Amino acid sequence: VESHRALLSDHGLTDVRSEAGYAACANFLSEIDRVARAMRLPTASRAYRRSFSANYRALFPDNARLYRVDVLETALDQHSEIWVNGEKFELSSDAMSYATALQQAWTEIMTIVGEWRNFGLENTLDLAEVERLRPHRTELAAALLALDVAWAQFENKYICELIAIEERARQLIVSAADVDFKLLYSEDFVGANDKAQDDLERQLVACIAHINAVANYKCKGRDDLGHDILLTAKRIMKEVEAQRAQYGEDNTECRAAASLLASEVIAAFQSVRLYLRRVRPCMERVDPHLCNNPGLVTRLVDWETSWEIGARYVRDIPLLDAICDIVSAIKSAQTIVPSLTDMCEDCDVELFLVLPRLVVLLYVADPSAHRSNLVRSMLPHRFVS
């Protein structure tokens, strides 16, 4: 009765959304379970829990009643729609019928306990009159049994459908992990230029882009960063490595910027692949709401950031040559003005005033050099097409 008194109401319904309302409802459910055990009422079968996934078996480890507020909340809300990763799923009509039955059983319990509470010690009626008017023990027992049966039926249907929805929601990760596994096998046993390997790599990039669109809430969630970025990055790395082998490290310093940008594209791709390999054997640990997986989101942020740069500068070879030209010229300027080196290393605020001016001066000094492409991309309105 006291736990019933503590329940909060929201527009005439039991409040389970607020923190205080949730706690009060959890306490009331615990008291219902305690009263049912004290009255030695039988428990509806929970054998179905053995078929739950590992995650839900951890929440429902045995056949005890284990009344959870979140299960009740779903039944009371009567909302069949569940949104996961931007996709709408719906509970079946059977699940909603069981939800209605549980809602009715809950209303009956609330009514009986409320009437019991109204005939408390503060009531002015004599004891005999109170005993006659307030609900009898048999009514409470019947209501508790009805609640338990309705609860078990809804819990079974709801959790089973929730497991199925979560499995479907994880398919983005499952599909990507499967493609990565095939690609890994192809890389180990098939030639590097094999067309099947290229197709698998293209599929994997498309999978990652799709995952990025639904899970990367920290960036733009782009899904238009294509396989050509990776192909260009790989080609650039091969060219730089060949040049280094032929001319030595010191004589290929001018291509360091290209090597750095290309390597970051490849490294971000490999980082996502490593994540997929790690979760493949334990997919049930992946939160079906993909944005709730910190390790995944961190890798997607790196992937989108580096691939956006790759799309702008690595994929556009003339622009990449301009970047390399500018970086080489700035390095030469650092030998003349050592303070510029410190400014670049510290990312000093003044650097962002100096750098644009330096780029323009370098362009003016040699308008025909590769660097002109960078200036044209930044100041297109200053050039005649």
Side-chain angles (χ1 to χ4, degrees):
V1 172
E2 288 304 316
S3 61
H4 178 273
R5 190 193 306 274
L7 289 174
L8 301 181
S9 177
D10 181 17
H11 296 92
L13 300 175
T14 305
D15 175 23
V16 293
R17 295 185 180 276
S18 69
E19 185 176 347
Y22 189 99
C25 186
N27 184 50
F28 181 60
L29 290 172
S30 177
E31 288 299 307
I32 287 178
D33 181 33
R34 188 177 68 83
V35 170
R37 284 186 282 110
M39 297 176 71
R40 301 182 183 278
L41 299 178
T43 304
S45 174
R46 261 76 170 180
Y48 56 81
R49 289 176 178 170
R50 290 196 290 269
S51 65
F52 285 178
S53 64
N55 289 343
Y56 284 99
R57 286 200 304 272
L59 294 176
F60 301 95
D62 52 38
N63 292 327
R65 293 183 179 87
L66 294 174
Y67 295 139
R68 291 181 57 89
V69 179
D70 46 0
V71 174
L72 177 64
E73 180 181 0
T74 302
L76 296 181
D77 281 348
Q78 290 282 301
H79 288 159
S80 63
E81 295 180 358
I82 298 177
W83 288 86
V84 187
N85 301 327
E87 185 176 357
K88 185 177 77 171
F89 300 89
E90 290 195 11
L91 296 175
S92 67
S93 57
D94 286 345
M96 297 313 298
S97 296
Y98 287 133
T100 300
L102 176 55
Q103 190 178 55
Q104 292 170 349
W106 174 257
T107 301
E108 181 65 16
I109 281 289
M110 293 289 285
T111 301
I112 290 176
V113 176
E115 290 177 356
W116 203 289
R117 170 183 159 189
N118 291 336
F119 289 101
L121 295 177
E122 70 276 14
N123 202 290
T124 56
L125 299 175
D126 60 38
L127 185 58
E129 190 66 10
V130 168
E131 287 294 328
R132 187 180 68 83
L133 293 176
R134 75 179 180 184
H136 294 166
R137 174 190 174 94
T138 54
E139 292 180 68
L140 177 60
L144 289 172
L145 287 171
L147 175 71
D148 192 47
V149 170
W151 191 291
Q153 289 175 334
F154 176 67
E155 179 187 279
N156 181 15
K157 194 66 177 174
Y158 171 58
I159 299 299
C160 285
E161 293 191 9
L162 206 56
I163 290 170
I165 289 172
E166 291 178 357
E167 287 178 354
R168 288 169 59 189
R170 290 191 188 97
Q171 279 304 307
L172 291 176
I173 297 292
V174 172
S175 298
D178 288 345
V179 175
D180 174 70
F181 181 78
K182 294 175 184 176
L183 178 58
L184 186 63
Y185 179 87
S186 175
E187 291 169 340
D188 288 341
F189 297 101
V190 184
N193 296 320
D194 186 79
K195 182 180 182 301
Q197 181 175 313
D198 288 341
D199 290 341
L200 286 170
E201 196 172 70
R202 185 175 290 104
Q203 289 178 40
L204 182 55
V205 170
C207 288
I208 293 173
H210 192 179
I211 293 170
N212 187 65
V214 302
N216 188 358
Y217 66 94
K218 292 187 176 181
C219 294
K220 301 170 188 174
R222 292 185 60 172
D223 62 356
D224 59 341
L225 300 171
H227 184 229
D228 56 330
I229 300 172
L230 181 63
L231 290 179
T232 307
K234 286 184 173 182
R235 188 177 71 248
I236 289 169
M237 290 303 297
K238 287 181 180 179
E239 291 172 355
V240 171
E241 288 169 4
Q243 291 170 359
R244 284 174 179 168
Q246 184 175 359
Y247 303 112
E249 188 80 25
D250 294 339
N251 294 322
T252 56
E253 183 65 26
C254 63
R255 300 294 291 171
S259 175
L260 176 63
L261 294 176
S263 65
E264 287 184 349
V265 168
I266 297 170
F269 177 63
Q270 294 299 337
S271 177
V272 177
R273 291 187 66 186
L274 182 59
Y275 175 85
L276 294 173
R277 281 172 225 158
R278 286 177 176 172
V279 301
R280 191 170 186 267
C282 51
M283 201 60 71
E284 71 279 355
R285 297 183 183 177
V286 176
D287 192 308
H289 295 269
L290 299 184
C291 61
N292 292 338
N293 297 280
L296 174 62
V297 173
T298 298
R299 287 165 174 79
L300 291 175
V301 168
D302 292 341
W303 180 83
E304 182 174 317
T305 302
S306 60
W307 279 53
E308 270 194 320
I309 295 172
R312 178 169 174 79
Y313 296 110
V314 176
R315 188 168 53 183
D316 189 331
I317 299 301
L319 203 52
L320 182 63
D321 290 339
I323 292 288
C324 292
D325 187 21
I326 290 289
V327 170
S328 179
I330 290 175
K331 285 184 177 293
S332 298
Q334 288 175 336
T335 62
I336 302 172
V337 186
S339 60
L340 180 59
T341 303
D342 296 334
M343 197 181 296
C344 291
E345 290 177 351
D346 298 338
C347 289
D348 193 285
V349 173
E350 191 177 358
L351 172 66
F352 299 98
L353 298 174
V354 172
L355 201 54
R357 292 170 171 81
L358 187 55
V359 170
V360 172
L361 287 173
L362 289 170
Y363 164 70
V364 173
D366 189 359
S368 62
H370 289 304
R371 65 196 65 162
S372 64
N373 291 313
L374 180 62
V375 179
R376 286 175 182 272
S377 72
M378 292 182 170
L379 302 170
H381 57 289
R382 296 295 183 182
F383 294 84
V384 178
S385 301

